[in-house]
Amino acid sequence: MTSAIQAEGLAKQFGETKALTSVDLQVPAGTVLGLLGPNGAGKTTAVRILTTLLRPDAGRAVVMGHDVAKDPERVREIIGLTGQYAAVDEHLTGTENLIFLARLLGFSRARSRAVAADLLERFGLSDAADRSAKTYSGGMRRRLDLAACLVADPKVIFLDEPTTGLDPNARDQLWEIIRDQVRRGSTVLLTTQYLEEADQLADDIVVIDHGSVVAQGTPQTLKREFGRPTLEVRPVHHEQLDRVADVVADVAGERTVEGRAVKTRVHDATVLPAVVRRLDEAGIEVAELSVREPSLDEVFKQLTVTGAEV
Amino acid sequence: MTAVAETTSTPPGTTTRRQRGPVATLRQSATVAWRQLVQIKHSPEQLVEVGIQPVIFVFLFAFVLSGQMDGDRHTYLQFVVPGLIVQSAVLVTARTAIAMNGDVTSGLFDRFRSLPISRTAPLIGRIVADYVMLVWSVVLLLAFGMLLSFRIETSWTRLLPMFLLLLVFSFCLSWAAVYAGLLASNPENVQALAFGLMLPLTFLSSVFVRTDTMPGWLQAVVNLNPVSMLADAIRGLLVSGPIAAPVTKTLIASLVLLAIFAPLALRAYHRER
C-alpha cells in the first residue's frame, strides 16, 4: 500500500497557543481521510502544513513522496487546495475564474478554455458559466471553488470544511462531486466538523481535539470501539421510574433518568434478557425497552469531551 | 509502513510545466493583471470611480480654491494640475492596498501560494493593473484640466517621460501599499491606514501650494517628501521649471521606497497566517 500523504509528529505553535502537538496521519493513495474535530482542534493548521502554507515546528510530512518543508515546489505541483472560504474572484464569471487559473498554470488559451468548459459542465455550472460569481448561490460558489482547485488535475486534494454553511441539497451535490473525484483516482483529505460527512465520504477517520489525535479508524471501528450501545427503558407508570432505575443500575452499573425513561450506556446487548427478567420479577410494566447502537455523533461528542481520558 | 520513502520521479499525470524563472514570472504577472482588468468589463463603474476623483479635484481647485491663491485661475491650474497627477498616483496605491487585503482575507492568496507559480507574480500583476488604472485617471485629469485652460507649455512629447516617471514612482510606492494591505487584518483597517498616511503625504508637499509659502522648519520636511519631488518633476516636464534635479531626486526616492518596502511586503506575503 502506497501512502499519498504521510505525516509524523507534526507540531505547530502560534505564540503561546499550541495548535498541533504531535499529529501522525497516513492516507493511502486513492482513499479519503476525514480529519474530524471541533472548531479550533487544529484541523486547518494540519491542512496548511500539508499544503506548504505553513512550516511545521517539528515533525515531517510527505505528499506523494515529496517533503512539504524541503521541497514545497514539487508538492504544489501535485496538490489542490480548497480552503474554508470559497476563494473565487466574485467579479469574474465562472469561466473567467477557471481560465485565469489555467493560464496562471501555463496552459495555452485553447486548453484553458477546454478545461474550464469541461469542469463547469461536470460541476453543473454550465448555465451559469458566463455570469459573474457574485450572482452565484453559496453552493455554486463552493462548486466553482472546488473546480478551481481541480484545474491542474491534482493527484491529492485537500478540502478544508468543504460543506460548512451549505444547505442539505447543495451539500449532497458537493459530496457526489467529491465521490466522483475519488473514483477518478484522487486521494482526498477533508476536514469536517460533521460526523455524517466523514461517515459518508471517508474510508478512514482521524479525530483530533486540542491539537492531537484522540482516535482513528474506519467509521465502523470507531463506532464499535468508542461508542457503547444505549439501553433505554420507559415504564408504563411514571411513578415506577425510580424502581426501574434501581433495576437498571443493578444490572448495568449506571443509571440516568431522562424525562420519562431510564437511559444508560451498556457494554453490549447481552444485558437485555437480565433487565427484562428483573423488571418482570418486580412486576413493572414496560412501555418501551430498547438497545440502540451509537451514532457517530455520540462517539464524536464522547471523544472530544473526554478526549484526554480515551 | 515503508511508504515514506521519497520518490524523485514526477508522478504520472502531472501535466503542468515547471513554472519558474523570470519569463514565467512575467507571464504569470500578466495573467494576474488580466484578471484585474477583465473585472472592468463586468463593473465598468470602476472606471468612473477612479476617474471621478481627479475631475472633482480639478473642479474644486479651479473654482473653489483658486480665488485665494495669487494669480488668476489659469496660473493656479498650471501649478496644481501636475500636483493632482501625483495625488492620483497616491490614491491609486491606496486602492492597491485595499484590494490586496481583500485577496488575503478572501483566501485567494492561499490558493496562489498553494500553486506552483512565482511567489511575486500575484503582487506584481496587481501593481501593473493598478498602473493601468492610474494612466486612465491621469488622462481624464489632463483632459478635464485642459477644458478649464490648463496647457502643456513645454511639449506634448514630454508626456512620455512623465508617464514613465509616474510608472517608476507608483511601482515603488505600491510596495508600501502592498505591505499595508498584507499586514492589516481587514479592509476597514487598510482604509483607515491608507487615508491616514495619504493626507499628510499629499498635503505636506508641493502638490497644492508652493513650499516657499510655508515656515522654514516645515519646508525642510516637505522638501524631503518624495511626493514633492515628483510634483516638481512633473511641473518641470509639462509646464516650466527645472527638470533634471527633481527627476533625479524622484528616482532616488523611488528606489529607496522600493528597497524598504519590497522586502517587507515579500516577507509579509510569506508570513504565516
Side-chain angles (χ1 to χ4, degrees):
Chain A
M1 189 168 56
T2 328
S3 286
I5 306 169
Q6 172 115 12
E8 286 160 5
L10 288 187
K12 183 75 196 175
Q13 193 159 350
F14 297 104
E16 292 295 294
T17 321
K18 282 188 174 147
L20 288 182
T21 42
S22 175
V23 168
D24 296 348
L25 292 174
Q26 188 176 338
V27 191
T31 69
V32 181
L33 178 79
L35 192 56
L36 190 66
N39 268 332
K43 303 188 296 288
T44 299
T45 305
V47 167
R48 292 178 72 83
I49 290 174
L50 293 170
T51 54
T52 76
L53 300 183
L54 276 184
R55 290 179 77 90
D57 295 337
R60 174 175 125 92
V62 173
V63 177
M64 296 297 263
H66 303 290
D67 191 300
V68 295
K70 286 188 212 139
D71 201 1
E73 287 295 324
R74 289 305 288 272
V75 173
R76 289 181 196 125
E77 287 171 10
I78 310 165
I79 60 164
L81 165 67
T82 289
Q84 268 183 39
Y85 310 98
V88 296
D89 186 329
E90 58 173 24
H91 298 291
L92 300 187
T93 66
T95 305
E96 284 164 351
N97 261 294
L98 299 184
I99 288 182
F100 165 59
L101 283 168
R103 296 287 288 157
L104 208 50
L105 291 165
F107 290 18
S108 71
R109 246 172 247 279
R111 191 161 156 231
S112 300
R113 293 212 157 273
V115 167
D118 181 48
L119 281 169
L120 290 168
E121 169 77 41
R122 246 181 82 195
F123 286 28
L125 290 168
S126 291
D127 291 341
D130 297 322
R131 267 167 41 202
S132 74
K134 64 176 159 232
T135 67
Y136 284 22
S137 68
M140 290 164 80
R141 268 180 207 224
R142 287 297 184 134
R143 274 181 282 155
L144 180 60
D145 192 33
L146 194 52
C149 111
L150 297 180
V151 165
D153 195 20
K155 294 287 113 188
V156 182
I157 300 165
F158 295 87
L159 306 171
D160 196 3
E161 301 198 5
T163 63
T164 299
L166 292 189
D167 65 55
N169 242 336
R171 187 199 60 186
D172 288 352
Q173 277 177 319
L174 211 69
W175 282 356
E176 204 33 64
I177 287 171
I178 295 170
R179 287 193 192 104
D180 180 52
Q181 197 57 36
V182 176
R183 279 193 290 270
R184 287 161 184 254
S186 290
T187 305
V188 175
L189 187 151
L190 75 98
T191 74
T192 179
Q193 306 185 39
Y194 310 118
L195 265 143
E196 195 195 350
E197 185 156 281
D199 201 9
Q200 285 278 339
L201 298 173
D203 299 300
D204 286 295
I205 295 179
V206 168
V207 184
I208 66 172
D209 195 24
H210 301 297
S212 51
V213 175
V214 293
Q216 57 187 316
T218 62
Q220 289 71 29
T221 328
L222 282 183
K223 282 190 234 178
R224 210 170 38 234
E225 230 175 289
F226 296 100
R228 290 150 65 197
T230 305
L231 170 72
E232 185 172 338
V233 187
R234 188 158 59 84
V236 172
H237 304 291
H238 184 49
E239 318 81 70
Q240 294 180 320
L241 206 55
D242 263 351
R243 286 176 61 202
V244 172
D246 289 341
V247 168
V248 169
D250 220 27
V251 179
E254 276 179 70
R255 51 172 280 177
T256 334
V257 177
E258 266 183 50
R260 294 176 163 271
V262 174
K263 284 184 186 174
T264 186
R265 280 189 198 287
V266 292
H267 285 286
D268 49 50
T270 55
V271 294
L272 204 54
V275 173
V276 173
R277 200 174 55 240
R278 293 280 305 274
L279 288 172
D280 196 37
E281 283 166 10
I284 299 169
E285 277 183 277
V286 172
E288 192 190 320
L289 189 145
S290 63
V291 175
R292 203 164 38 75
E293 281 302 312
S295 72
L296 261 182
D297 267 310
E298 284 168 333
V299 177
F300 181 50
K301 277 182 201 148
Q302 198 186 329
L303 280 172
T304 51
V305 170
T306 59
E309 300 154 35
V310 171
Chain B
M1 277 300 159
T2 53
V4 203
E6 291 185 34
T7 55
T8 43
S9 63
T10 307
T14 305
T15 46
T16 38
R17 279 180 278 138
R18 293 216 132 192
Q19 309 288 325
R20 236 60 66 72
V23 178
T25 303
L26 274 182
R27 199 181 43 69
Q28 289 154 7
S29 304
T31 306
V32 175
W34 168 84
R35 168 204 158 212
Q36 300 315 133
L37 295 173
V38 86
Q39 290 183 358
I40 296 170
K41 202 173 76 188
H42 302 295
S43 38
E45 66 272 11
Q46 285 187 33
L47 284 180
V48 181
E49 208 183 290
V50 174
I52 201 109
Q53 214 138 8
V55 171
I56 288 175
F57 272 101
V58 172
F59 181 87
L60 191 72
F61 282 95
F63 294 104
V64 181
L65 298 172
S66 71
Q68 283 289 315
M69 311 292 173
D70 35 279
D72 57 7
R73 180 179 303 148
H74 171 72
T75 315
Y76 187 57
L77 267 182
Q78 293 299 91
F79 179 84
V80 84
V81 166
L84 291 175
I85 290 176
V86 182
Q87 193 199 25
S88 291
V90 178
L91 278 171
V92 167
T93 57
R95 273 174 59 91
T96 307
I98 293 162
M100 204 57 128
N101 187 264
D103 282 354
V104 172
T105 43
S106 76
L108 205 59
F109 264 65
D110 279 349
R111 166 151 294 148
F112 290 156
R113 296 190 332 139
S114 75
L115 293 176
I117 59 167
S118 148
R119 315 272 78 196
T120 45
L123 308 178
I124 295 177
R126 158 74 67 183
I127 292 175
V128 168
D130 284 334
Y131 179 71
V132 173
M133 296 303 263
L134 175 61
V135 169
W136 158 252
S137 87
V138 169
V139 165
L140 271 187
L141 196 155
L142 283 172
F144 192 66
M146 283 174 183
L147 211 64
L148 301 178
S149 89
F150 172 76
R151 291 293 172 263
I152 294 175
E153 289 174 18
T154 52
S155 154
W156 282 88
T157 54
R158 291 284 169 80
L159 280 175
L160 185 66
M162 192 275 293
F163 274 115
L164 280 177
L165 190 64
L166 207 54
L167 172 65
V168 172
F169 178 82
S170 54
F171 180 83
C172 297
L173 183 65
S174 288
W175 289 99
V178 167
Y179 180 53
L182 290 174
L183 216 58
S185 52
N186 61 55
E188 288 76 30
N189 285 355
V190 187
Q191 201 133 7
L193 183 69
F195 287 97
L197 285 174
M198 251 165 43
L199 285 182
L201 211 57
T202 49
F203 277 93
L204 297 181
S205 77
S206 63
V207 161
F208 304 113
V209 291
R210 291 198 322 270
T211 52
D212 55 22
T213 60
M214 301 175 188
W217 59 270
L218 189 57
Q219 278 186 40
V221 176
V222 166
N223 288 334
L224 272 176
N225 185 348
V227 168
S228 303
M229 301 171 190
L230 180 62
D232 293 344
I234 293 178
R235 264 178 209 122
L237 284 166
L238 298 187
V239 185
S240 64
I243 296 177
V247 168
T248 314
K249 279 200 232 164
T250 305
L251 290 176
I252 292 170
S254 300
L255 289 178
V256 170
L257 283 172
L258 183 71
I260 295 171
F261 288 106
L264 284 175
L266 284 173
R267 222 181 58 190
Y269 178 53
H270 292 295
R271 184 176 58 117
E272 304 184 334
R273 274 171 279 267

